[in-house]
């Protein structure tokens, strides 16, 4: 199975054989690929019972839980890499979740939709309504997203938390971008560590 472009960028950032915690792991597609292709020792936490069942059917070690509340239960430095894929914007306290991820693991890999993308800006400017895009595919009243941010907003949060950005990948329609990413990228993938 081929991974989505954002998940492939995350997989590229995970070293072979790493101990991985995938937070908000969905149905386990990324974790299964990491175990198969990179031999990681992977665990997952997922809020949706249906997704937990699907991940367990794949033979993955997944627990049902809420990242906003349950990350505090994990011991410090228990993992090499903590992944938060397309979930940050749905967290009640993104700042706390990022701090917990970097307590639990040496490296955190975070992906999120970029609310600074030009289509989002244009939709607000011209239509005056909350946008719907490939990365933000549902209307505002049905979205689980509560803390949308741009790439520049995320960089500011990383600086506030004294977090080192080890690397970043910016995507638009599955292609990697190398310039004007806050304007052009639909999705961002950041690799973070404690400074």
């Amino acid at each position: 199975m081929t991974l989505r472009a954002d998940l492939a960028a995350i997989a590229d950032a995970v070293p072979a054989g790493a101990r991985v915690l995938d937070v908000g792991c969905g149905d386990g597609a990324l974790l299964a690929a990491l175990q198969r292709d990179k031999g990681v020792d992977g665990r997952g936490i997922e809020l949706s019972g249906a997704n937990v069942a699907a991940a367990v059917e794949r033979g993955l070690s997944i627990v049902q839980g809420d990242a906003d509340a349950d990350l505090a239960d994990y011991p410090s430095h228990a993992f090499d890499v903590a992944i938060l894929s397309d979930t940050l914007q749905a967290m009640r306290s993104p700042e706390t979740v990022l701090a917990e991820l970097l307590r639990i693991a040496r490296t955190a890999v975070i992906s999120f939709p970029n609310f600074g993308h030009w289509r989002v800006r244009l939709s607000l400017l011209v239509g005056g309504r909350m946008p719907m895009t490939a990365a933000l595919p549902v209307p505002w009243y049905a979205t689980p997203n509560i803390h949308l941010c741009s790439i520049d907003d995320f960089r500011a949060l990383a600086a506030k938390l004294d977090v080192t950005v080890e690397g970043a990948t910016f995507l638009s329609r599955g292609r990697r971008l190398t310039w004007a990413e806050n304007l052009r990228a639909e999705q961002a993938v950041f690799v973070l560590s404690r400074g």
Side-chain angles (χ1 to χ4, degrees):
M1 175 170 76
T2 303
L3 292 174
R4 292 186 330 238
D6 60 319
L7 296 181
I10 292 169
D12 288 346
V14 176
R19 293 170 298 140
V20 174
L21 176 64
D22 189 353
V23 179
C25 64
D27 67 2
L30 174 61
L31 200 53
L34 288 171
Q35 286 183 338
R36 180 188 68 238
D37 300 338
K38 293 202 166 186
V40 305
D41 177 8
R43 305 282 182 269
I45 178 173
E46 170 59 36
L47 186 60
S48 161
N51 279 339
V52 170
V56 169
E57 282 183 26
R58 292 177 187 258
L60 301 172
S61 178
I62 307 296
V63 296
Q64 187 169 10
D66 181 351
D68 275 312
D70 297 337
L71 291 179
D73 296 334
Y74 285 84
S76 296
H77 315 293
F79 296 91
D80 300 312
V81 179
I83 297 169
L84 188 69
S85 168
D86 208 19
T87 305
L88 182 68
Q89 69 279 0
M91 299 287 95
R92 286 186 299 276
S93 179
E95 187 175 350
T96 301
V97 169
L98 286 176
E100 284 295 307
L101 292 175
L102 287 167
R103 179 189 61 78
I104 293 167
R106 287 182 288 160
T107 302
V109 183
I110 313 294
S111 71
F112 56 90
N114 177 27
F115 205 67
H117 184 261
W118 70 268
R119 283 187 190 95
V120 172
R121 296 178 193 204
L122 184 62
S123 178
L124 283 168
L125 178 67
V126 174
R129 297 183 64 182
M130 293 301 290
M132 287 179 47
T133 67
L136 301 163
V138 294
W140 68 269
Y141 54 85
T143 183
N145 300 324
I146 57 176
H147 291 291
L148 294 166
C149 71
S150 71
I151 289 167
D152 287 350
D153 289 326
F154 186 81
R155 285 180 173 138
L157 177 59
K160 177 186 176 199
L161 296 175
D162 194 27
V163 169
T164 301
V165 175
E166 300 288 343
T169 302
F170 306 105
L171 302 164
S172 185
R173 298 187 183 221
R175 294 188 326 258
R176 293 181 185 219
L177 304 174
T178 57
W179 60 276
E181 58 272 356
N182 194 48
L183 180 64
R184 298 176 58 226
E186 293 174 301
Q187 291 181 299
V189 178
F190 279 85
V191 180
L192 309 172
S193 67
R194 278 284 175 203

